[in-house]
């Protein structure tokens, strides 16, 4: 694979080399969910500049009835579903070869974090420079977006670490385990929303909720999901939609399945029981249409595009939002702001038909800019990094100690990325932000991330060379 800057993504070769037994539907779910995330961010972002200060809003918040479309467009659970399937296949094969958990966890973290080190190095430099030359009130709203999406990587690596626990002998056990996870999520939601428990308890749902689609992915990888009848799956979809409609209608949970400005409660941060049920619904729908999707994905042109997206998945996820921020700043500097006004809720919204017309040009520029940065940076997903991918020289921990150290490292990586997601890079590296009464600093979070990643590497990478 060619890995020099601006090298072409080898989608054709990768598509042609696809094994006959590969689950193409899972790969398509991953690629499609990622593309929806990118398009959704570009579509929803509304920015108004007042006295040189950016104020960020959401198009769906400006038109509340449109929030219902998030029940179609919120397909992030499918990314975890695809990851759960891939991780299960990898773990089962690793275990069959006599491999150990620290080794396996290192191999999963190795590629997941490789492009992140490059991204945070660049983002940290940008954050530091911008924080020096621009007041915090101007820089912080946009620099917050530089790390906002790291919540996904934090929760994903924590869920990945649980893969060896995803055991199911038959479809009854699989259904009961899924129901148990849903009830646990609902119980935690009840504690924080009705029983007066601290909101911090909801952070557990960053793992529990996303474990559900990942667990369902493991059921698919082991062939258990295919044993459920189509009528049963359709019944699950109908029942879940009914339950979620009741929760939104009569409970405190909002209609939108993505975060909205000024909402006291969201379904995303922390993830709620509504989103957990939605995850099961999406997987059931995907399973119902599995046959037609499989036939579609056999077509070479379709599969080549799916393969191309998956080859650059982490690059596209990490960089599309900074590209969007940079484009907003550039168009403002050139006087090309789209017409906006401040709505009754105090957040920006489109001001007239010209907003939609000018947005077409903005989205074209965004697509070109994203394509350019992906062509430049995708190689860092595959090209070895000198320190990260080299063999550790220090004595290797063994046995249970190695497993414990990897677990500590995974928790540290997950927690540090969730912290970075919540505080951003405004005022980097000295600014302190309070979340749930806890003082947080981006530079310290990055240090914790590096240290935790090094711990996984030390305890896991060394065992691969024993």
């Amino acid at each position: 694979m060619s890995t020099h800057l601006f090298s072409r993504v080898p989608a054709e070769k990768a598509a042609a080399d696809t094994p006959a037994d590969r689950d193409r539907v899972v790969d398509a779910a991953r690629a499609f969910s990622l593309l929806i995330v990118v398009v959704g961010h570009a579509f929803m972002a509304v920015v108004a500049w007042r006295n040189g200060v950016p104020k960020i809003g959401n198009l769906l918040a400006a038109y509340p009835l449109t929030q219902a479309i998030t029940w179609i467009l919120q397909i992030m659970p499918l990314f975890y579903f695809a990851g759960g399937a891939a991780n299960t296949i990898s773990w089962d094969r690793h275990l069959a070869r006599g491999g150990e958990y620290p080794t396996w966890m290192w191999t999963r973290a190795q590629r997941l974090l490789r492009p992140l080190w490059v991204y945070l190095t660049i983002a940290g430099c940008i954050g530091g420079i911008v924080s020096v030359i621009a007041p915090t009130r101007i820089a912080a709203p946009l620099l917050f977006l530089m790390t906002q999406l790291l919540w996904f990587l934090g929760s994903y690596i924590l869920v990945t670490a649980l893969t060896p626990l995803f055991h199911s002998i038959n479809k009854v056990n699989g259904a009961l385990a899924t129901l148990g996870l849903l009830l646990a999520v609902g119980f935690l939601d009840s504690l924080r929303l009705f029983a007066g428990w601290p909101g911090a308890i909801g952070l557990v749902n960053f793992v529990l909720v996303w474990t559900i689609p990942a667990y369902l992915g493991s059921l698919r990888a082991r062939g258990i999901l295919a044993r459920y009848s189509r009528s049963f799956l359709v019944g699950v979809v109908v029942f879940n939609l009914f339950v979620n409609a009741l929760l939104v209608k009569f409970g405190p949970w909002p209609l939108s399945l993505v975060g909205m400005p000024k909402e006291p409660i969201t379904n995303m941060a922390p993830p709620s029981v509504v989103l957990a049920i939605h995850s099961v619904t999406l997987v059931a729908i995907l399973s119902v249409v599995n046959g037609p999707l499989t036939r579609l994905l056999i077509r070479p042109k379709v599969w080549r595009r799916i393969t191309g997206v998956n080859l650059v998945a982490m690059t596209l996820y990490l960089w599309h939002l900074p590209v969007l921020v940079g484009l907003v700043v550039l168009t403002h500097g050139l006087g090309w702001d789209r017409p906006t006004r401040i709505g009754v809720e105090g957040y920006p919204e489109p001001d007239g038909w010209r907003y939609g017309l000018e947005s077409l040009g903005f989205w074209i520029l965004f697509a070109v800019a994203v394509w350019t940065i992906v062509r430049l940076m995708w190689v860092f997903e595959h090209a070895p990094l000198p320190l990260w991918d080299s063999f550790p020289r220090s004595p290797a921990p063994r046995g249970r100690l190695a497993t414990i150290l990897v677990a500590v490292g995974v928790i540290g990586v997950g927690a540090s990325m969730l912290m970075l997601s919540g505080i951003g890079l405004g005022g980097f590296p000295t600014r302190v932000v309070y979340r749930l009464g806890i003082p947080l600093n981006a530079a310290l979070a990055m240090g914790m991330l590096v240290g935790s990643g090094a711990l996984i590497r030390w305890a896991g990478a060394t065992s691969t060379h024993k």
Side-chain angles (χ1 to χ4, degrees), residues 23 26 77-78 80-86 88 159 166 168 171 173-179 181-182 208-226 228 232-233 236 240 275-287:
D23 191 337
V26 166
L78 293 183
Y80 288 86
F81 171 73
T88 297
V159 171
F166 294 165
S168 182
K171 64 181 185 180
N173 289 348
L176 290 177
T178 303
L179 179 60
L181 287 169
L182 288 172
L208 272 185
V209 169
W210 298 119
T211 294
I212 293 171
Y215 175 70
L216 294 174
S218 75
L219 295 185
R220 181 179 178 98
R222 291 181 172 136
I224 297 172
L225 204 57
Y228 296 99
F232 174 80
L233 294 171
V236 167
N240 284 0
L275 185 59
I277 295 172
H278 178 71
S279 300
V280 179
T281 304
L282 287 179
V283 173
I285 292 173
L286 189 68
S287 299

Side-chain angles (χ1 to χ4, degrees), residues 290-457:
N290 181 75
L293 274 180
T294 300
R295 291 190 291 272
L296 174 66
L297 295 171
I298 293 175
R299 299 180 181 180
K301 289 184 179 180
V302 176
W303 181 240
R304 186 164 59 247
R305 288 176 172 81
I306 295 296
T307 303
V309 173
N310 281 320
L311 284 173
V312 301
M314 281 301 302
T315 305
L316 184 57
Y317 183 81
L318 286 171
W319 285 99
H320 78 273
L321 206 50
V323 169
L324 184 61
V325 171
L327 193 57
V328 166
V329 173
L330 176 63
T331 53
H332 174 68
L334 295 173
W336 296 348
D337 293 323
R338 291 173 286 175
T340 59
R341 61 176 180 263
I342 301 299
V344 293
E345 296 292 331
Y347 284 89
E349 58 185 39
D351 187 12
W353 62 269
R354 284 183 51 238
Y355 181 90
L357 184 62
E358 294 181 17
S359 290
L360 293 177
F362 181 88
W363 293 331
I364 292 173
L365 288 175
F366 173 70
V368 172
V370 168
W371 178 87
T372 302
I373 197 70
V374 168
R375 279 294 298 269
L376 176 65
M377 305 300 296
W378 78 273
V379 296
F380 294 108
E381 289 195 45
H382 306 275
L385 292 179
L387 293 177
W388 181 241
D389 292 291
S390 61
F391 174 63
R393 297 181 179 180
S394 55
R398 298 182 178 181
R400 181 173 296 180
L401 176 60
T403 300
I404 293 173
L405 291 177
V406 165
V408 171
V410 167
I411 293 172
V413 167
S416 58
M417 283 198 278
L418 289 174
M419 283 191 284
L420 282 171
S421 174
I423 58 183
L425 296 178
F428 185 82
T430 59
R431 184 176 180 232
V432 175
V433 178
Y434 284 82
R435 292 287 184 267
L436 301 174
I438 303 172
L440 302 175
N441 172 265
L444 290 178
M446 284 189 186
M448 178 179 172
L449 175 59
V450 171
S452 300
L455 191 60
I456 298 173
R457 173 178 174 268

Side-chain angles (χ1 to χ4, degrees), residues 102-104 106-107 391 460-466:
T103 306
W104 178 79
W106 157 244
T107 61
F391 174 63
T462 49
S463 60
T464 65
H465 293 81
K466 290 179 183 179

Side-chain angles (χ1 to χ4, degrees), residues 71 74 76-78 80 177-189 192 204-214 216 236 240-241 243-244 247 253 256-257 266-284:
W71 286 41
Q74 175 50 281
M76 199 65 181
L78 293 183
Y80 288 86
T178 303
L179 179 60
L181 287 169
L182 288 172
L183 292 175
V185 172
F187 178 68
L188 287 178
D189 264 12
R192 68 185 179 92
V204 178
N205 276 351
F206 273 105
V207 177
L208 272 185
V209 169
W210 298 119
T211 294
I212 293 171
L216 294 174
V236 167
N240 284 0
L241 290 175
V243 170
N244 263 352
L247 291 175
W253 296 275
S256 174
L257 291 178
T266 77
N267 286 313
M268 275 295 292
S272 71
V273 66
V274 171
L275 185 59
I277 295 172
H278 178 71
S279 300
V280 179
T281 304
L282 287 179
V283 173

Side-chain angles (χ1 to χ4, degrees), residues 38-191:
V38 174
V39 172
H41 286 150
F43 174 76
M44 292 187 296
V46 182
V47 181
W49 295 80
R50 297 295 182 265
N51 301 318
V53 178
K55 194 169 185 64
I56 302 172
N58 190 310
L59 188 65
L60 302 184
Y63 307 103
L65 291 179
T66 63
Q67 294 174 25
I69 68 172
T70 61
W71 286 41
I72 299 174
L73 298 180
Q74 175 50 281
I75 58 174
M76 199 65 181
L78 293 183
F79 209 108
Y80 288 86
F81 171 73
N87 289 332
T88 297
I89 293 171
S90 172
W91 170 249
D92 288 348
R93 290 174 178 172
H94 181 77
L95 201 61
R97 295 192 298 266
E100 299 177 346
Y101 178 77
T103 306
W104 178 79
M105 194 62 226
W106 157 244
T107 61
R108 307 314 284 176
Q110 186 177 18
R111 181 178 174 183
L112 181 69
L113 298 182
R114 184 186 295 130
L116 179 66
W117 302 131
V118 178
Y119 175 78
L120 285 181
T121 299
I122 298 173
C125 292
I126 293 174
I129 294 171
V130 173
S131 296
V132 169
I133 64 178
T136 300
R137 63 188 180 90
I138 296 177
L142 296 176
L143 288 179
F144 173 76
L145 300 177
M146 297 288 287
T147 60
Q148 185 183 26
L149 298 185
L150 294 187
W151 69 265
F152 163 73
L153 297 181
S155 66
Y156 185 81
I157 195 169
L158 290 170
V159 171
T160 296
L162 299 177
T163 300
L165 302 178
F166 294 165
H167 294 295
S168 182
I169 300 173
N170 54 53
K171 64 181 185 180
V172 173
N173 289 348
L176 290 177
T178 303
L179 179 60
L181 287 169
L182 288 172
L183 292 175
V185 172
F187 178 68
L188 287 178
D189 264 12
S190 298
L191 290 179

Side-chain angles (χ1 to χ4, degrees), residues 20-34:
D21 61 346
R22 188 170 184 89
D23 191 337
R24 300 188 180 209
V25 172
V26 166
D27 286 336
R30 180 191 296 111
F32 186 63
S33 60
L34 178 58

